[in-house]
Amino acid sequence: MRIFVGIPLPQVACESLKSVLHTFQSSQAGSAVRWSEPEGWHVTLAFPGQVHEEQLVVLRESLQRIACGPIPLTVEGVEVYARAGVLAAKIVPTEPLFLLQQRVAAAAEMCGFPIENRPFRPHVTLARSRFEGRLRALAEDFETIQARFVAGRFCLYESVRDSTGSRYVVKSEFLLQ
C-alpha cells in the first residue's frame, strides 16, 4: 500500500477555502484543471511511499510516540509547483509545524523509510494540471486566499488510486496534545 503522513484540514478551514475557490472552479481556466476534493485536503508531513502491512504496524507505533501540542496554522496565498503540475495553497511555515514535520520524518526514518531530502514546503494541493499555463493563470487570479486553524491531530493515510485520481483513507489518527 502507498502511505503518507499529514495534517487534515478541519471543516472550518475547508469551508473557508471552498468559498474562495468556488468562483475560480467555474471560470474558464478553472474548468480546465482537476480540482482536489476538500475531504482530502491535508498538509503532507512525510511520504514513506510503498509499505507492507508489517511495516505499517511499526510505523504506527513510532508515530504514536510523537509528543507535540496543537499547532496553529495559516493558509496564505497560492503558488504553482510546475514540476508536479500543482496549484497549492501555501501554509505559513512556523517553528511548531517544522518541529512536528521533523519528528514525523525521524520516526519514519527510524522505521527504515527513506524520506525525501528536499526542503519542507507546507502546502495544500488545490488543483492539478499537466499544463503549467492554466495553473499560473489561476494563481494570478487569486487576490487573497487565507484561512486560520489549529491542527489538533495528524494522520497516517493510505493513498488509493482509481480512475478519478487518488483518494485518501485514514489508517491511524494521532492527537496533538
Side-chain angles (χ1 to χ4, degrees), residues 155-167:
C155 298
L156 179 60
Y157 293 93
E158 179 181 5
S159 178
V160 180
R161 293 184 185 200
D162 58 28
S163 60
T164 61
S166 294
R167 61 183 171 82

Side-chain angles (χ1 to χ4, degrees), residues 10 23 30 33 71 81 85 93 96 102 107 126 134 136 143 149 159 175:
T23 304
V33 301
I71 300 174
Y81 297 117
Q102 290 169 349
L126 301 175
R134 292 178 182 163
R136 293 225 181 268
E143 288 187 27
F149 64 98
S159 178
L175 296 179

Side-chain angles (χ1 to χ4, degrees), residues 5-175:
V5 180
I7 298 171
L9 264 62
Q11 189 64 33
V12 66
C14 289
E15 292 302 323
S16 178
L17 289 175
K18 283 189 326 190
S19 68
V20 173
L21 293 179
H22 180 71
T23 304
F24 297 102
Q25 290 172 326
S26 56
S27 71
Q28 184 176 1
S31 64
V33 301
R34 185 168 38 99
W35 292 91
S36 58
E37 294 296 325
E39 303 80 43
W41 286 344
H42 64 275
V43 179
T44 301
L45 299 170
F47 190 83
Q50 289 295 113
V51 302
H52 300 287
E53 190 65 40
E54 302 81 32
Q55 294 171 305
L56 185 66
V57 170
V58 172
L59 179 58
R60 182 180 292 128
E61 290 170 358
S62 184
L63 292 172
Q64 284 174 337
R65 290 191 288 274
I66 292 176
C68 192
I71 300 174
L73 296 176
T74 301
V75 176
E76 194 169 88
V78 296
E79 62 187 320
V80 173
Y81 297 117
R83 276 187 50 216
V86 165
L87 173 71
K90 295 187 288 187
I91 301 292
V92 175
T94 63
E95 190 63 33
L97 177 59
F98 279 113
L99 181 61
L100 175 60
Q101 189 275 330
Q102 290 169 349
R103 288 177 178 172
V104 167
E109 285 180 317
M110 286 175 41
C111 294
F113 299 106
I115 301 300
E116 298 174 310
N117 287 336
R118 57 186 172 175
F120 177 55
R121 293 175 64 188
H123 66 277
V124 176
T125 298
L126 301 175
R128 296 181 182 279
S129 175
R130 285 181 269 161
F131 303 102
E132 180 183 349
R134 292 178 182 163
L135 296 173
R136 293 225 181 268
L138 279 170
E140 289 172 9
D141 288 340
F142 279 96
E143 288 187 27
T144 304
I145 182 171
Q146 190 171 54
R148 287 187 169 85
F149 64 98
V150 175
R153 64 190 173 115
F154 67 98
C155 298
L156 179 60
Y157 293 93
E158 179 181 5
S159 178
V160 180
R161 293 184 185 200
D162 58 28
S163 60
T164 61
S166 294
R167 61 183 171 82
Y168 309 123
V169 177
V170 174
K171 302 300 273 183
S172 295
E173 183 176 283
F174 310 94
L175 296 179

